[in-house]
């Protein structure tokens, strides 16, 4: 039985640019905040909750609240799990709203890895694991996710061609998005012929590196009722941390095995009920393992599931990432969770591109993966719904 | 000795015994004094039983390839040595460790392959544990 939402998403905004060398990070936070609040029909003066990741400048939410002039916060936080952070932020904002701690929560993301190339990027602190992970020539996430892909292929017979279908579906969506970083449609052959970066992952198995940002406004049901705009209900939320588990973790499951069931249970729905899915797509393999772990298909069958256009909107078995996803559209700040939320809201409002709008889209799933699936990763799942008319 | 770069490891109060041993060409692992679990990554806290008394023991240095990738594009100083192999090796003692596979053609590495530890020297004399195919 589908539950009622404890909070609503009232506004979203995706920064339209993919290369922003002329703005500071704080400016981009302000730009996306203004965009999402305007979309909601609210103003900065309405905000009493604020959430951002720990990569935001200075003291993260503290510094950004000051920069943005948020003067009466009763809730702020900076949960950090890389790309899955923003889904956690929505879940935490909804919980804070349900508890009466705040009524209007603003979540912002900004990042400029494209313009920052060559400068120091990424988290500056060393973890207790660092000494045992950075001696081997890891070249960022691609070398780590390649370990996942290789093991998945070994255990389940997954093929590079199957992985390529994920990129093909994303590219067929991106060609309708005027802001997409890679708007060209590609074929399975083109993915397989693109150069290998880390076997078995090719260049076109990897997401884009873009500057950008986005914002989401989460509000209480009372605030939502007073707004002119259609809102989207937060029906379910689940999150977990997967790590190396004392060196015994496998490489072929993700934290979605825990976050997914938690979100489905809270929402009172099952994978079969989902009309549209935003699935984190840092790499093609990320999508394949995630849809298995969320229960859209049997474990190990993800490769077969995604082949032949199953992920394509509007009529595939599981229409996904209709903005073109991180693989083709946007991966702002190397953190794709924000844009995953935004495209799901567009689908539920009926505001996706007309060629890709899922007919009568009532229930959407959003899944975020942060960090590295080969070591430690955040997993967060949201179930969002169009409110009953 | 491989041709791969041998960066200086980050050592801490908790991991200094590990690196002291590698400097002598020995692979040691921490084991929990309470529950006997072999701990990885090395630390003075058992993630299984959550106690904080450990002892170091000499490992066999043997394992099998759990997964691997051939890196074909990398920044300096690794650019000079592409293609090279990053792997997770499952040690005979249990833990899966990140490492490189050396001493063979990258195209010859397979999952399940038996491997044994070898050490490259960093400039300051630390041993960087890597693995090569077992004969």
């Amino acid at each position: 039985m589908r539950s009622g939402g404890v909070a609503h998403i009232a506004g979203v905004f995706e920064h339209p640019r993919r290369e922003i060398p002329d703005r500071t990070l704080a400016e981009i936070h302000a730009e996306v905040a203004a965009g999402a609040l305007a979309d909601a029909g609210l103003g900065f003066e309405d905000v009493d909750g604020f959430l951002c990741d720990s990569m935001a400048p200075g003291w993260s939410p503290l510094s950004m609240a000051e920069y943005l002039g948020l003067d009466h916060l009763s809730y702020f936080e900076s949960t950090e799990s890389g790309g899955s952070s923003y889904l956690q932020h929505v879940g935490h904002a909804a919980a804070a709203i349900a508890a009466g701690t705040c009524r209007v929560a603003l979540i912002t993301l900004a990042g400029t890895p494209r313009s920052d190339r060559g400068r120091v990027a990424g988290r500056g602190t060393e973890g207790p694991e660092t000494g045992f992970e950075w001696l081997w020539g890891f070249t960022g996430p691609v070398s780590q996710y390649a370990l996942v892909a290789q093991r998945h292929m070994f255990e389940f017979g997954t093929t590079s061609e199957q992985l390529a279908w994920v990129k093909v579906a994303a590219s067929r969506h991106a060609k309708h998005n005027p802001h997409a970083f890679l708007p060209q449609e590609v074929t399975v052959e083109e993915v397989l012929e693109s150069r290998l970066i880390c076997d078995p992952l090719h260049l076109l198995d990897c997401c884009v590196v873009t500057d950008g940002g986005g914002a989401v406004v989460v509000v209480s049901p009372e605030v939502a009722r007073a707004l002119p705009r259609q809102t989207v209900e937060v029906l379910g939320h689940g999150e977990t941390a997967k790590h190396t588990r004392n060196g015994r973790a496998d490489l072929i499951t993700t934290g979605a095995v825990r976050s997914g069931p938690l979100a489905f249970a809270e929402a009172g729905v099952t994978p079969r009920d989902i009309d549209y899915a935003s699935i984190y797509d840092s790499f093609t393999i990320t999508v394949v393992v995630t849809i298995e772990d969320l229960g859209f298909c049997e474990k190990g069958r993800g490769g077969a599931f995604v082949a032949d256009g199953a992920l394509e909107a509007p009529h595939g078995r599981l229409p996904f990432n209709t903005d073109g996803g991180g693989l083709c559209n946007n991966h702002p700040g190397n953190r794709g969770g924000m844009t995953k939320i935004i495209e799901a809201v567009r689908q539920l409002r009926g505001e996706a591109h007309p060629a890709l709008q899922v007919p009568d889209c009532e229930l959407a799933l959003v899944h975020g993966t942060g960090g590295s699936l080969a070591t430690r990763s955040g997993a967060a799942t949201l179930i969002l719904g169009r409110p009953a008319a | 000795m491989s041709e791969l770069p041998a960066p200086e490891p980050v050592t801490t109060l908790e991991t200094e015994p590990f690196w002291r041993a590698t400097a002598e060409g020995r692979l040691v692992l921490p084991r929990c004094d309470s529950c006997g679990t072999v701990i990885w990554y090395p630390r003075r806290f058992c993630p299984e039983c959550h106690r904080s008394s450990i002892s170091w023991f000499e490992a066999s240095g043997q394992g099998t390839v759990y997964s691997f990738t051939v890196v074909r594009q990398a920044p300096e100083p690794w650019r000079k040595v592409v293609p090279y192999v990053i792997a997770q090796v499952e040690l005979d003692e249990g833990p899966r460790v990140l490492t490189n596979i050396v001493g063979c053609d990258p195209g010859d590495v397979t999952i399940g392959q038996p491997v044994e530890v070898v050490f490259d020297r960093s400039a300051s004399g630390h041993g960087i544990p890597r693995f090569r195919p077992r004969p």
Side-chain angles (χ1 to χ4, degrees):
Chain A
M1 180 72 165
R2 176 178 152 171
S3 67
V6 297
H8 291 231
I9 294 178
V12 294
F13 184 79
E14 178 181 9
H15 201 289
R17 294 171 65 186
R18 304 290 176 263
E19 195 150 12
I20 318 176
D22 55 336
R23 296 272 192 285
T24 66
L25 274 185
E27 276 182 297
I28 301 170
H29 276 275
E31 231 177 310
V32 297
L37 287 166
D39 186 48
L42 293 164
F44 282 94
E45 66 281 3
D46 296 310
V47 174
D48 59 1
F50 179 63
L51 305 90
C52 62
D53 61 50
S54 75
M55 301 298 283
W59 286 79
S60 303
L62 196 50
S63 294
M64 292 313 302
E66 179 179 28
Y67 183 96
L68 296 170
L70 304 175
D71 293 335
H72 51 275
L73 294 182
S74 50
Y75 182 78
F76 71 96
E77 61 129 300
S78 58
T79 293
E80 177 61 86
S81 66
S84 45
S85 303
Y86 319 96
L87 287 85
Q88 294 185 263
H89 293 167
V90 169
H92 300 178
I97 287 167
T101 309
C102 63
R103 297 165 69 238
V104 174
L106 170 67
I107 305 165
T108 63
L109 155 71
T112 53
R114 187 148 203 95
S115 299
D116 292 346
R117 275 197 172 167
R119 280 193 268 152
V120 177
R123 300 186 53 70
T125 53
E126 275 169 2
E129 72 281 0
T130 305
F132 299 92
E133 295 186 2
W134 293 103
L135 293 166
W136 326 113
F138 275 105
T139 57
V142 56
S143 49
Q144 302 219 7
Y145 282 70
L147 296 174
V148 174
Q150 192 85 266
R151 185 73 199 184
H152 201 275
M153 289 177 167
F154 175 81
E155 290 202 26
F156 303 119
T158 309
T159 66
S160 289
E161 182 181 352
Q162 290 171 335
L163 295 187
W165 276 103
V166 177
K167 173 71 173 190
V168 168
S171 77
R172 288 179 180 171
H173 297 161
K175 73 179 178 190
H176 297 289
N177 183 348
H179 301 297
F181 187 76
L182 296 177
Q184 303 86 356
E185 184 175 335
V186 299
T187 64
V188 167
E189 292 68 34
E190 285 170 317
V191 178
L192 298 180
E193 285 162 14
S194 66
R195 70 177 189 276
L196 281 165
I197 304 295
C198 291
D199 301 12
L201 297 180
H202 304 77
L203 177 65
L204 295 188
D205 286 299
C206 306
C207 66
V208 300
V209 176
T210 49
D211 299 343
V216 174
V217 180
V218 186
V219 303
S220 68
E222 296 70 37
V223 172
R225 272 194 290 277
L227 294 173
R229 195 89 154 79
Q230 186 192 336
T231 61
V232 162
E233 285 184 292
V234 181
L235 300 172
H237 162 249
E239 65 181 52
T240 196
K242 194 206 174 195
H243 50 69
T244 58
R245 211 172 51 73
N246 195 22
R248 272 73 166 180
D250 66 55
L251 283 172
I252 44 94
T253 49
T254 71
V257 295
R258 180 154 174 78
S259 68
L262 289 170
F264 281 119
E266 188 182 2
V269 302
T270 71
R272 278 189 304 281
D273 300 318
I274 298 299
D275 300 308
Y276 164 83
S278 282
I279 306 285
Y280 204 96
D281 57 343
S282 44
F283 301 94
T284 52
I285 185 65
T286 317
V287 176
V288 168
V289 291
T290 303
I291 62 172
E292 293 171 355
D293 292 348
L294 289 171
F296 288 111
C297 66
E298 205 181 308
K299 187 68 201 170
R301 297 285 297 158
F305 182 94
V306 301
D308 305 319
L311 300 176
E312 286 177 39
H315 299 301
R317 261 182 296 172
L318 183 67
F320 98 132
N321 299 6
T322 38
D323 61 336
L327 287 168
C328 296
N329 169 35
N330 195 10
H331 196 233
N334 294 330
R335 288 151 171 265
M338 177 63 78
T339 47
K340 296 287 165 294
I341 300 165
I342 293 171
E343 184 64 9
V345 170
R346 291 191 191 112
Q347 280 285 350
L348 291 167
R349 284 170 161 179
E351 294 172 359
H353 188 280
L356 305 172
Q357 176 65 47
V358 174
D360 202 27
C361 187
E362 285 184 26
L363 265 185
L365 175 143
V366 188
H367 185 82
T369 305
S372 167
L373 288 181
T375 53
R376 59 205 58 78
S377 52
T381 311
L382 294 173
I383 310 290
L384 306 178
R386 196 171 67 188
Chain B
M1 293 286 279
S2 78
E3 300 299 311
L4 301 185
E8 292 300 333
V10 176
T11 66
T12 71
L13 287 174
E14 289 186 88
T15 63
E16 195 271 335
F18 179 89
W19 295 110
R20 189 154 24 95
T22 67
E24 299 162 2
R26 298 184 300 120
L27 182 70
V28 297
L29 295 171
R31 179 158 39 210
C32 175
D33 290 336
S34 299
C35 73
T37 296
V38 178
I39 296 168
W40 189 263
Y41 53 87
R43 66 198 102 163
R44 294 192 293 211
F45 181 82
C46 175
E48 304 288 346
C49 75
H50 316 292
R51 294 200 171 90
S52 52
S53 173
I54 62 112
S55 303
W56 296 89
F57 71 99
E58 188 144 349
S60 68
Q62 308 223 320
T64 55
V65 175
Y66 182 71
S67 192
F68 70 97
T69 182
V70 183
V71 180
R72 298 180 185 276
Q73 179 179 316
E76 293 297 345
W78 294 85
R79 186 196 304 267
K80 289 192 254 319
V81 294
V82 293
Y84 60 93
V85 178
I86 294 175
Q88 266 195 22
V89 163
E90 183 170 303
L91 301 178
D92 285 359
E93 290 79 9
R96 295 174 188 145
V97 306
L98 291 167
T99 188
N100 300 117
I101 304 297
V102 297
C104 68
D105 187 288
D108 292 339
V109 177
T110 57
I111 290 177
Q113 184 173 26
V115 290
E116 64 188 8
V117 73
V118 290
F119 294 94
D120 284 333
R121 292 262 161 252
S122 74
S124 71
H126 283 104
I128 310 299
R130 294 181 163 131
F131 288 78
R132 69 179 175 204
R134 260 187 269 164

